[in-house]
Amino acid sequence: MRTLLNLLWLVFSGLWLALGYAVAGLVCFLLVVTIPWGVACFRIAGYALWPFGRSVVERPGAGVASGVGNVVWLVFAGLWLTLGHLAAGVGFCLTVIGIPFGLAHFKMVPVSLMPLGREIVRSDAAYPSYRWAPAPGAPR
């Protein structure tokens, strides 16, 4: 099911989102000072291509530089990207079929708002307690 949702997402939203984030990343790389935000844009572009089965988690050990960089990002890009993801999420959620895609847009809000100091991981690595566990007392 995850693969089917990712393929549908790729066709209807993911490709365009990923291209937008990749272009923003290229612009950030051209302006040498903004390379850390360019790396974040490419990371978000990969997430935008294939969001189902992946989650955003805070990277342990992210320091003050990430916090300062996130404030700069928030002022210049983060607020607008977040509003776009929220609007797209609400729009998709208006239809029953679009609800998974709306939820995927809502999942992208934290990383689009403050991308530095975050990491994109597989969902089973982010939430290991959600894995199927044997019933208590059952042999392993």
Side-chain angles (χ1 to χ4, degrees):
M1 188 59 144
R2 182 182 338 178
T3 304
L4 177 63
L5 285 172
N6 276 323
L7 288 173
L8 289 172
W9 169 266
L10 183 68
V11 171
F12 292 114
S13 284
L15 187 60
W16 300 111
L17 277 174
L19 285 174
Y21 278 113
V23 167
L26 287 174
V27 170
C28 287
F29 269 87
L30 289 176
L31 308 167
V32 176
V33 178
T34 58
I35 287 177
W37 292 285
V39 171
C41 284
F42 286 121
R43 186 175 45 235
I44 298 170
Y47 185 49
L49 275 176
W50 215 252
F52 294 100
R54 295 165 69 191
S55 298
V56 177
V57 295
E58 291 189 25
R59 191 179 73 229
V64 175
S66 292
V68 172
N70 278 332
V71 170
V72 173
W73 174 271
L74 177 69
V75 170
F76 290 103
L79 182 63
W80 305 111
L81 290 170
T82 299
L83 290 175
H85 283 299
L86 288 174
V90 168
F92 273 112
C93 284
L94 291 176
T95 66
V96 174
I97 295 172
I99 290 174
F101 304 115
L103 295 177
H105 273 287
F106 294 145
K107 275 178 39 175
M108 293 189 73
V109 165
V111 75
S112 68
L113 187 62
M114 295 190 171
L116 302 178
R118 302 215 185 242
E119 201 172 341
I120 298 164
V121 297
R122 290 181 23 193
S123 292
D124 58 352
Y127 308 107
S129 62
Y130 289 148
R131 293 185 192 163
W132 289 101
R140 289 186 179 230

